[in-house]
Amino acid sequence: MDIETIKNELKEHILDSVQEDVKNATISWLNTTVLPAAKEVADAYTAALQESAGKETGWSKFRDQCFLPTLIDGGLWLTGKLLGKMVVVQE
């Protein structure tokens, strides 16, 4: 099987991937599996940034102590809020 055959097969069955239950499952997976894992990695990274900020001065200290941790935490917070709004509760 070559790449063209695979590509054509995927294009023919793309509508199977955009059904409501598949979209809901994807959003749920992102919310329950990917986001917590990303937060865990981000916590370790921001802790390392905070540690390295002690050795920095000026804008580099601001970057490591404030800017990057706030950007990372804010991005994950916003992503969590958006995913929470998109999760469809099954009745």
Side-chain angles (χ1 to χ4, degrees):
M1 195 177 253
D2 66 343
I3 193 71
E4 279 299 314
T5 306
I6 294 170
K7 181 181 76 171
N8 291 334
E9 196 69 25
L10 287 171
K11 286 168 67 176
E12 286 178 27
H13 297 289
I14 198 71
L15 288 180
D16 297 341
S17 299
V18 293
Q19 293 177 0
E20 204 60 33
D21 57 336
V22 175
K23 292 187 282 185
N24 290 335
T26 301
I27 293 298
S28 179
W29 175 74
L30 288 169
N31 195 36
T32 59
T33 304
V34 175
L35 189 59
K39 285 180 180 179
E40 192 175 321
V41 171
D43 288 344
Y45 184 68
T46 55
L49 282 171
Q50 294 290 338
E51 186 178 318
S52 74
K55 301 175 218 153
E56 300 287 350
T57 60
W59 284 106
S60 295
K61 184 175 184 109
F62 171 76
R63 175 198 65 203
D64 292 353
Q65 192 170 33
C66 299
F67 182 75
L68 288 174
T70 302
L71 182 67
I72 292 166
D73 292 341
L76 289 173
W77 174 82
L78 181 60
T79 301
K81 289 294 183 186
L82 292 172
L83 287 172
K85 298 284 185 190
M86 288 186 260
V87 171
V88 176
V89 178
Q90 300 295 329
E91 296 179 15

